[in-house]
Amino acid sequence: MLIPVGSATAEIEVRRSRFIAIATPIEESEAMRALISETRAQHPQANHVAHAAIMGRDGSQFSFSDDREPKNTAGRPMLEVLKGSGITNLLVMVVRYFGGTLLGTGGLVKAYSEATKAVLEVLKTEELIDKATLKIMIDYDIYEQVDKLLKEKQGEAENLFETQVTIKVTLPKKYVDEVTSQITNLSSGSATILDCQDSQ
């Protein structure tokens, strides 16, 4: 599965109706509801703000709404596009400004689908990787070697320099055993390494 990196926006026009698609990362339905409300507030003149969302590590949680468009002409076709994208933890909202011409059910399905496809084309994504967070306490004399090791293993670290160096690092789970072993060896067993809760 893929996950979004940042947000993206795209716009299409169909018979003078504007369809503005906004894609943004989410991980829970509460955040999704807040983002939809915020988008409505930013577009008070819009006729509709339909949405579709996929969440969960395997993309098994769904949400969609036609927002007063005829049933299954907006949110459902948007969701079908998302399901086919291989992306999870993603909310797509399509803001519609009515252009005066009725599009019919087929026209609406096509327009909402096309707007969703357009925003996915410009959305940046990355592979969803299982990650873990470690808290590592080491002496200063091995800090540079440990820092280099963590960078090599795609670690994202926050450092606290006191009597010892405390490093809180998030890295792919597949490297945890190797990193733990190497730091234990570098420190001759004096390092403290705690496995914090999984970050994803």
Side-chain angles (χ1 to χ4, degrees):
M1 296 294 289
L2 300 170
I3 53 172
V5 179
S7 300
T9 305
E11 182 174 338
I12 65 169
E13 188 172 308
V14 181
R15 295 168 78 179
R16 295 201 303 276
S17 275
R18 291 172 61 209
F19 294 84
I20 304 164
I22 303 157
T24 190
I26 52 155
E27 290 187 11
E28 55 185 33
S29 53
E30 202 168 299
M32 177 187 71
R33 286 191 287 272
L35 284 163
I36 293 166
S37 297
E38 191 179 301
T39 302
R40 284 189 209 285
Q42 289 168 354
H43 295 272
Q45 303 303 313
N47 300 84
H48 308 277
V49 181
H51 83 267
I54 291 190
M55 294 167 282
R57 296 199 55 75
D58 55 357
S60 60
Q61 299 169 47
F62 310 129
S63 173
F64 68 93
S65 167
D66 297 311
D67 191 35
R68 303 185 319 281
E69 291 281 29
K71 189 175 180 184
N72 292 333
T73 61
R76 171 69 74 179
M78 290 168 64
L79 180 62
E80 292 308 316
V81 173
L82 292 191
K83 282 182 179 178
S85 71
I87 305 171
T88 188
N89 293 347
L90 176 65
L91 166 67
V92 173
M93 297 166 283
V94 175
V95 179
R96 182 189 181 193
Y97 287 89
F98 183 55
T101 303
L102 294 172
L103 302 182
T105 55
L108 287 170
V109 168
K110 186 168 189 270
Y112 279 100
S113 298
E114 292 300 322
T116 304
K117 287 175 188 171
V119 79
L120 292 186
E121 282 176 14
V122 295
L123 179 70
K124 291 181 179 167
T125 59
E126 66 182 12
E127 197 71 36
L128 176 60
I129 297 170
D130 281 327
K131 293 185 179 181
T133 301
L134 301 177
K135 187 175 181 182
I136 304 164
M137 285 156 278
I138 54 169
D139 292 327
Y140 279 83
D141 59 347
I142 62 166
Y143 167 70
E144 284 188 13
Q145 292 164 280
V146 170
D147 185 56
K148 182 171 181 280
L149 170 67
L150 295 177
K151 283 175 179 165
E152 285 172 0
K153 302 304 179 189
Q154 302 165 29
E156 296 170 18
E158 294 174 18
N159 303 321
L160 181 63
F161 299 95
E162 295 179 320
T163 51
Q164 277 192 310
V165 184
T166 300
I167 304 168
K168 187 176 182 184
V169 63
T170 299
L171 73 169
K173 270 188 180 178
K174 64 182 179 181
Y175 295 132
V176 168
D177 289 344
E178 182 185 347
V179 163
T180 301
S181 172
Q182 287 198 40
I183 293 173
T184 300
N185 290 338
L186 281 170
S187 68
S188 302
S190 68
T192 302
I193 303 171
L194 304 173
D195 193 350
C196 303
Q197 66 180 22
D198 292 350
S199 67
Q200 289 191 17

